[in-house]
Amino acid sequence: MQDLQAPPAVDRIQKGALLASGLGVLLCAFGWFSNPDQFYRSWLLGFLFWTSVAIGCLSITLIHNLTGGLWGLVIRRLLEAGARTLPYCAVLFLPVAFGLSHLYRWARPDVVAADPLALLQEHPHRAV
């Protein structure tokens, strides 16, 4: 029977990654408190980038499963691992959902109410 435990070097890498992620969370909290508008813009960019990577992995995996052949056999496990991050991307969407008013003008009722063009688009038969 083979021992399927990871080598000790992997434990050190995991501890370093946990420390780096804790530092990242602290930096995100600092950015949120110091400049929420920039934080939400930066979060949206990062969210879109990593979600597109996960969706790309899923797309290539599905194309390989659909077409068959040996062309994707070497990278199949890597692509499947990338596609398995999609549930995490769904959780990482929550700050975007809560920060819509920081990201988009149309998500602020006071701005929409003061814009005559928005009112005109909502009620096209009404004169402004």
Side-chain angles (χ1 to χ4, degrees):
M1 189 69 109
Q2 272 187 340
D3 183 24
L4 299 176
Q5 296 293 324
V10 172
D11 191 38
R12 284 194 319 257
I13 292 171
Q14 284 180 340
K15 287 180 183 176
L18 184 63
L19 181 66
S21 65
L23 181 64
V25 167
L26 288 175
L27 287 173
C28 282
F30 175 74
W32 185 69
F33 283 117
S34 64
N35 189 352
D37 290 338
Q38 184 60 46
F39 166 78
Y40 284 115
R41 280 186 238 128
S42 300
W43 189 275
L44 178 64
L45 180 69
F47 167 76
L48 289 174
F49 176 78
W50 289 111
T51 303
S52 66
V53 169
I55 291 173
C57 288
L58 179 64
S59 304
I60 295 172
T61 302
L62 292 175
I63 290 170
H64 178 255
N65 288 338
L66 182 67
T67 60
L70 298 176
W71 62 268
L73 198 59
V74 175
I75 60 170
R76 182 168 77 186
R77 298 295 179 217
L78 180 67
L79 294 173
E80 289 171 349
R84 279 193 299 261
T85 62
L86 275 173
Y88 300 110
C89 292
V91 171
L92 292 175
F93 178 73
L94 291 176
V96 176
F98 289 121
L100 282 178
S101 62
H102 291 276
L103 290 168
Y104 303 108
R105 295 184 69 220
W106 52 259
R108 290 178 259 181
D110 56 332
V111 173
V112 173
D115 188 5
L117 289 178
L119 291 175
L120 185 62
Q121 290 172 356
E122 187 176 319
H123 304 286
H125 302 293
R126 185 172 135 188
V128 179

